[in-house]
Amino acid sequence: MTNKRKRNNSESKLTFHKLDWLEYLTIGLALWFMFYPHPYKILFTILLIIPIFGIILNGINGRPSIASLVEITKENNKSKKYDVADFIDVAAWIILLRVILDYEFENFYSLIIPGILGFIIIIILLLTTHKIIEKTNKNKTWIYLSLTFNIFIYSFAGVYGINCIYDDSDPKVYDVKVLDKSISKGRRSTTYNLKIQPWGHHYDSENISVSKEQFDETFVGETVKIDLKQGLFNIPWYYVE
């Protein structure tokens, strides 16, 4: 029994020894992309590729167990902590936060099918390069759930980011009046919002996030231009010029 536990613990920590350099790289690039996103497209592309590269690199030697992508530790109060490899979860969450800050959805439902397709592709890649967890691993349910959840976030955020960042369609421009301005402060970020009048298919006034520079340069009562774009995957999105 003791040997099995030792084997499971060693297996779960495999990624964190073999690919720790990739995790450090991911964390560094993620911080760069979050707080100083320049060059934007290059940083996004690298962070988008890293989880796929990491999954392939981890599975290149004999298809290890999926558990090798999740580290399991016990806290002092006997509770367990499931830590997905940082080259997956850090990249996923930073891409999600960045696209939420930078791009506005025109229609959320148009993201569902492309996002699910992206999720299925990553799951197929994972199952192709890794083995399923053995039945003797008592933590397999939580390992699957934690890893699947982070891949889900990565897939939807990545698809939406690609849709907007690589969109070369011509925008449809709307002249919209600014009704109010506000600043939302969180623990780690500040959001600058313009409240704009109804436009296009938006029948109610709404807040749209903008950069600090746009916020400072725009006054209540002014007219701003809203650019509505089709999206690379036909997921409409918009922004303030």
Side-chain angles (χ1 to χ4, degrees):
M1 189 69 175
T2 302
N3 290 334
K4 287 183 178 180
R5 289 179 180 175
K6 288 182 178 179
R7 186 169 62 251
N8 289 335
N9 288 334
S10 296
E11 183 182 55
S12 66
K13 294 180 179 179
L14 175 61
T15 294
F16 298 85
H17 292 294
K18 187 171 70 173
L19 296 180
D20 55 354
W21 63 271
L22 185 59
E23 296 193 322
Y24 298 143
L25 176 64
T26 304
I27 293 171
L29 290 173
L31 291 172
W32 182 359
F33 189 48
M34 187 65 208
F35 296 107
Y36 186 74
H38 304 286
Y40 195 102
K41 184 179 288 189
I42 293 175
L43 288 171
F44 170 81
T45 302
I46 294 173
L47 284 171
L48 185 71
I49 292 173
I50 280 178
I52 297 173
F53 175 72
I55 289 173
I56 294 173
L57 191 60
N58 187 62
I60 205 167
N61 293 321
R63 292 185 65 204
S65 168
I66 287 174
S68 65
L69 293 169
V70 181
E71 183 179 36
I72 307 169
T73 58
K74 287 188 176 181
E75 305 296 342
N76 293 331
N77 61 1
K78 304 299 183 181
S79 63
K80 293 179 181 178
K81 176 183 177 183
Y82 297 84
D83 182 15
V84 177
D86 287 339
F87 62 77
I88 297 175
D89 62 0
V90 171
W93 285 97
I94 291 299
I95 289 174
L96 176 65
L97 290 173
R98 195 71 260 176
V99 298
I100 287 176
L101 288 172
D102 298 335
Y103 305 101
E104 298 285 347
F105 290 92
E106 167 68 6
N107 182 356
F108 173 78
Y109 297 103
S110 60
L111 174 60
I112 293 176
I113 293 179
I116 290 175
L117 288 175
F119 175 73
I120 291 173
I121 290 172
I122 301 301
I123 291 297
I124 290 174
L125 173 66
L126 177 66
L127 295 177
T128 301
T129 55
H130 292 72
K131 298 176 183 177
I132 61 173
I133 301 171
E134 297 177 357
K135 294 181 180 179
T136 53
N137 193 320
K138 297 179 181 179
N139 306 296
K140 66 176 183 176
T141 299
W142 283 105
I143 291 174
Y144 280 131
L145 288 176
S146 58
L147 183 58
T148 301
F149 177 71
N150 280 278
I151 289 176
F152 180 85
I153 295 297
Y154 165 76
S155 302
F156 274 77
V159 165
Y160 188 59
I162 293 171
N163 175 78
C164 300
I165 294 168
Y166 294 98
D167 178 16
D168 294 325
S169 64
D170 294 326
K172 186 174 183 180
V173 182
Y174 294 85
D175 292 319
V176 183
K177 185 178 180 180
V178 177
L179 303 177
D180 201 359
K181 299 170 61 177
S182 63
I183 300 176
S184 301
K185 292 187 176 181
R187 294 178 61 183
R188 298 182 180 180
S189 63
T190 301
T191 304
Y192 300 89
N193 301 305
L194 300 179
K195 186 175 183 179
I196 56 176
Q197 69 180 55
W199 61 278
H201 297 293
H202 297 245
Y203 302 115
D204 298 308
S205 59
E206 62 183 330
N207 287 320
I208 180 171
S209 60
V210 296
S211 66
K212 184 180 185 303
E213 291 75 15
Q214 287 178 306
F215 183 86
D216 292 337
E217 295 172 358
T218 305
F219 298 93
V220 175
E222 283 188 346
T223 297
V224 296
K225 293 185 181 295
I226 302 291
D227 287 14
L228 175 63
K229 303 197 70 175
Q230 185 61 36
L232 184 65
F233 298 138
N234 291 319
I235 307 171
W237 62 285
Y238 58 95
Y239 64 95
V240 177
E241 282 191 16

